[in-house]
Amino acid sequence: NFSQSFIISTFVGFNEEITKAVVTILLVRNLKDLDEPIDAVIYATAVGLGFSIFENFQYTREHGLFNLVLRSFTAMPLHIGLAAIWGYKIAEVKFLNGRNYFDSMKQAVLLAAGLHALYDFFQFFIANNVLPLIISVTFTYFLVGIIKKKLDYLATQSPFLKAGTCTHCGTINPVDAKKCKSCGMNLMQEFYK
């Protein structure tokens, strides 16, 4: 039934993403070890992974080991990818604008919740077993690509890098260089202007 699938998937998607984001904010907002932007995404994705592990135990108990294997390739990366979306906002709040976490992260959390609801809707509504699997694998690995891009970028924003060091190729450039002399990558740090 379309409406029932829509209501359940929306409730689950929004409930899970909001809960994960709130838990992460409460864990990291005063954490001294969150001292560079990449840490925010790492902590957020760790919470996403931890949540999916607990969820997988429940689904495995109810539906068997095959479900665990299947969810390891679909739901686990999904939770990690969605957490990266709002985890990036934690980095922005902490290192760029210093505003309230909850106010600044609303859009990112709502985006992740909407994507989560869409993912769940395909799982609940489409009766065919193969099509939801294809959709979920494609969707999930698209999110993994987002994580990689965000982590690659945030790696260039570390305050612990020696000035002028290219995070792409490791070349030491002059301190005032804007681009790497070896590979041409941008050396400017947006999070630490």
Side-chain angles (χ1 to χ4, degrees):
N1 171 316
F2 179 89
S3 58
Q4 184 180 7
S5 297
F6 178 80
I7 291 167
I8 292 171
S9 60
T10 301
F11 174 78
V12 170
F14 279 76
N15 183 41
E16 289 184 9
E17 291 310 313
I18 290 169
T19 301
K20 289 187 295 186
V22 168
V23 166
T24 304
I25 292 167
L26 293 174
L27 287 172
V28 304
R29 67 182 172 174
N30 296 319
L31 189 65
K32 297 206 184 330
D33 288 333
L34 201 161
D35 54 2
E36 58 183 309
I38 198 169
D39 291 346
V41 175
I42 292 170
Y43 284 117
T45 56
V47 168
L49 176 62
F51 180 88
S52 68
I53 289 170
F54 283 111
E55 189 178 62
N56 282 353
F57 283 136
Q58 175 190 350
Y59 280 107
T60 301
R61 201 169 23 127
E62 292 174 13
H63 304 289
L65 276 177
F66 178 74
N67 192 273
L68 174 65
V69 172
L70 188 62
R71 290 182 57 82
S72 296
F73 291 100
T74 58
M76 288 180 87
L78 172 85
H79 282 285
I80 295 166
L82 294 172
I85 292 172
W86 47 261
Y88 189 83
K89 281 295 184 183
I90 292 174
E92 285 185 354
V93 172
K94 175 100 173 161
F95 296 99
L96 282 181
N97 62 26
R99 292 179 17 206
N100 180 293
Y101 282 105
F102 295 101
D103 289 340
S104 299
M105 292 178 58
K106 274 189 258 186
Q107 286 183 322
V109 172
L110 290 177
L111 172 63
L115 291 172
H116 193 146
L118 182 64
Y119 172 91
D120 286 347
F121 177 77
F122 285 122
Q123 299 298 314
F124 297 147
F125 184 66
I126 301 173
N128 178 328
N129 288 332
V130 176
L131 186 58
L133 178 61
I134 292 169
I135 291 170
S136 64
V137 168
T138 304
F139 188 76
T140 297
Y141 285 94
F142 169 75
L143 287 172
V144 169
I146 289 173
I147 293 176
K148 181 176 178 351
K149 285 181 182 173
K150 289 189 180 300
L151 290 176
D152 287 348
Y153 170 71
L154 289 176
T156 68
Q157 303 299 305
S158 174
F160 303 110
L161 285 176
K162 183 178 175 188
T165 302
C166 177
T167 59
H168 182 69
C169 69
T171 300
I172 305 294
N173 295 279
V175 174
D176 60 345
K178 293 184 178 173
K179 296 211 179 261
C180 177
K181 64 185 175 187
S182 179
C183 70
M185 290 293 286
N186 187 3
L187 299 175
M188 300 302 290
Q189 290 192 347
E190 294 177 31
F191 281 76
Y192 293 97
K193 287 183 181 175

